[in-house]
Amino acid sequence: MENLPKKVRSKKLNTRVDLTAMVSVSFLLIIFFMVTIELAKPKLIEYDSGQDRGCCDCQPRHYGENRSITVMLGENNKLIYYIGLLSSPIVSPKEIKYGKEGIRRELLKRKNNLLGYSSKNRKPESLIVIIKPSKKSNYKNLVDILDEMAIAEIGTYAIVPEFTPEESKLLASK
């Protein structure tokens, strides 16, 4: 019995589990579910009937109609603007000049009117200017009107090259 080999005992390994990754994943899941629950809650949409504004021109018939100005650029430095929709404008189309005493004064006046009509519990509505250069207008006119947007601090404007048939007739007639 002396020659019998000794039993080799296997070494016991440490069975400790590192839970660092599990903690990170659980925090990510908690954050994910908190965000999805918050986004799933129904939101309240404020209905703007226009009753609290007391607008000087008239009540807008479409949302944003009272805060949009369309500026059309024609040939020979022609500049025509109107407020609202062309079919039923708040301010009918008028020809105006570039510069301090022309379009800039109208933009600043309209912008200040909008700031005055915004109620105190809502953020003030900004003026929206739609710039429509015709194919006969020159590049200088477009640069001039963009300069007027910067001077009057108009933050929301768009350059739209398409004209409706009514706008084309208006630009050709005046």
Side-chain angles (χ1 to χ4, degrees):
M1 291 234 241
E2 290 178 22
N3 281 344
L4 288 174
K6 280 187 173 181
K7 275 190 174 180
V8 180
R9 294 202 175 238
S10 62
K11 189 176 181 184
K12 290 230 174 193
L13 297 175
N14 192 359
T15 58
R16 196 172 135 199
V17 178
D18 185 17
L19 294 177
T20 307
M22 184 64 94
V23 170
S24 298
V25 169
S26 63
F27 277 119
L28 286 173
L29 284 172
I30 290 170
I31 291 170
F32 171 76
F33 286 117
M34 286 173 56
V35 168
T36 54
I37 288 171
E38 187 62 32
L39 292 176
K41 289 181 182 175
K43 303 288 188 248
L44 178 67
I45 298 174
E46 182 179 334
Y47 174 68
D48 183 14
S49 65
Q51 299 294 354
D52 60 339
R53 263 186 270 153
C55 182
C56 69
D57 297 321
C58 67
Q59 290 296 328
R61 293 160 294 266
H62 301 286
Y63 179 75
E65 183 180 353
N66 66 332
R67 63 186 190 123
S68 69
I69 296 179
T70 303
V71 177
M72 298 185 298
L73 311 176
E75 63 181 326
N76 299 326
N77 298 329
K78 185 188 285 189
L79 181 66
I80 298 175
Y81 82 99
Y82 61 90
I83 298 174
L85 301 174
L86 187 58
S87 59
S88 58
I90 294 173
V91 173
S92 59
K94 296 178 185 174
E95 190 166 346
I96 196 166
K97 301 281 184 203
Y98 290 93
K100 185 177 182 180
E101 296 302 317
I103 190 68
R104 188 182 314 162
R105 183 182 344 154
E106 289 299 319
L107 290 173
L108 289 172
K109 183 174 100 177
R110 193 67 190 163
K111 181 180 171 184
N112 290 334
N113 283 348
L114 277 176
L115 289 175
Y117 297 132
S118 296
S119 64
K120 293 178 183 172
N121 60 353
R122 293 188 334 208
K123 71 175 193 170
E125 294 181 342
S126 62
L127 186 64
I128 301 170
V129 179
I130 302 167
I131 303 168
K132 293 190 170 192
S134 69
K135 292 181 180 175
K136 295 179 181 178
S137 67
N138 57 28
Y139 186 72
K140 180 187 178 308
N141 295 141
L142 184 59
V143 171
D144 288 343
I145 198 69
L146 291 176
D147 286 342
E148 296 296 338
M149 296 298 119
I151 292 168
E153 296 177 349
I154 305 295
T156 307
Y157 59 88
I159 301 172
V160 180
E162 292 90 23
F163 282 85
T164 63
E166 294 83 17
E167 289 172 333
S168 298
K169 287 178 192 174
L170 177 70
L171 199 58
S173 68
K174 289 202 175 202

